[in-house]
Amino acid sequence: MTSVIGSDGLQDEFPTGMRMKLESARELKAKLVEGLVAPFTQKAASNGGLAMAARAMTTASSVQRSIALGVAPPRGGQFRLAVRVQRQALLSGPLMEKIVRQARGEVEVRMVGRLDKRALPWYRKPVRPLLPGGSCGHVEITSGTIGAFCERGGKVCVLSNNHVLANEDFGKVGDRIVQPGPSDGGRPTDDRIGHLSHWVRFRKSKPNFLDCALAEVDDGIDFDPVKLRGLVDGKNTKLKGLGPEVVDAGDVVYKLGRMTGATKGRVTAFDVDNLVVNYDTANLRFDNQIEIESAGKKPFSDGGDSGSLIVNARMEAVGLLFCGGEMGGAHKLGLTYANPIHEVLGSLKAKLLT
Amino acid sequence: MSPRITLHKARAAKAAVLKAFRRLPNLGGVGITKVAGGYAVKINLREPMPKGAQLPGEIEGVPVTIEVTGVIRKQ
């Protein structure tokens, strides 16, 4: 193939009149990135040639938004160079002209603007003081949720599930608990908030009633037991204490969880027996559970929300979320199940802190 | 119009449902729900019933609602 060196030093390997094959498109893309776009991107950053709001240097990037190149899907059997522009000013100008010329006009240009890494919600990040709804977990699990704060034997404890704090009975008293949970970046030493202290063990051959555990909070770790951050319509509310011992079908409930954040639901059933739940170790049967459907446009809960406190419309605790499925419920968004909170606290000999 | 079902009556019907269908391989749970302001029994199924098999719409005079909930997992 005849190669032509352009004025910008790039080889023109795509003569006019020839259909651009996938391999040619890839080669052209690689050459343009190396020869034109990458140098421009770095140069713009080093001489301050592009607008950037004032902020600390430590947060400023050494790479500026410019143009990204790829290969666009074929149209009529012909591939094109995909040109994604991240600044309005670059839609026209010498850089774009060179790219279009090199590709003989076979380009698909789109303005994509600023592309940000999706910001992590507060409940998946380190949170001090500790708050209900924040990510947490035993050092050997992924992540669950801080449901509430309790007192037992004069010690402050985090309330969550056995499978969040006690690793499905594999944990031992004294095991480290981290916030955020390990899958959210929680490190065994730096993010330690306490240790596993009490839990209700699972039974494989008899019905279970509870999936709950306590972790004693280390001295010096601050916590706020009542703040329910952004729970109702994005506004903060306060946990008011314990709700009635019985919930009723149709009751409105809310939860704050590490995966789906603040959600609103409705009790669809209570006294649910013979509920079979898939765990890592076995399928376990549960009796006397509360069933909840979403009252919004997204599921009431998802993986990682385990351990969330369920509160009623008066902001009183009624349940401890532990499992769910993807079928059934309003708009087929799935169903969530919770242990009644009075049974949880009674079995753990714990008092809810408010 | 039939009188609204009380919670007491619904709980008795739930016990009867559990006794009758406990061995159903696709049974996912049995609880108490509400239908038109009165209590009812809710039967959850992990999978739909096989063709030809049917569950009752009422037991001991208490309405029965049936929902396929699929597999339930720890979250």
Side-chain angles (χ1 to χ4, degrees), chain A residues 168 248 268-276 278 280 285 291 301 303-304 306 322-324 328-329 335 337, chain B residues 7 11 14 18 22 27-34 39 42 44 46 67-75:
Chain A
E168 287 189 42
D248 203 359
T268 44
F270 57 96
D271 279 9
V272 177
D273 292 347
N274 219 65
L275 175 70
V276 180
N278 285 29
D280 291 342
R285 181 189 149 181
E291 182 184 271
S301 69
S306 268
F322 76 111
C323 67
L335 291 165
Y337 295 87
Chain B
L7 181 56
R11 281 190 165 136
K14 185 190 121 185
L18 276 169
R22 176 157 276 165
L27 186 67
V30 180
I32 305 286
T33 189
K34 268 185 174 170
Y39 288 100
K42 182 168 188 263
N44 291 343
R46 287 163 74 90
E67 186 170 32
V68 177
T69 59
V71 175
I72 305 299
R73 296 184 172 84
K74 67 168 183 173
Q75 289 192 329

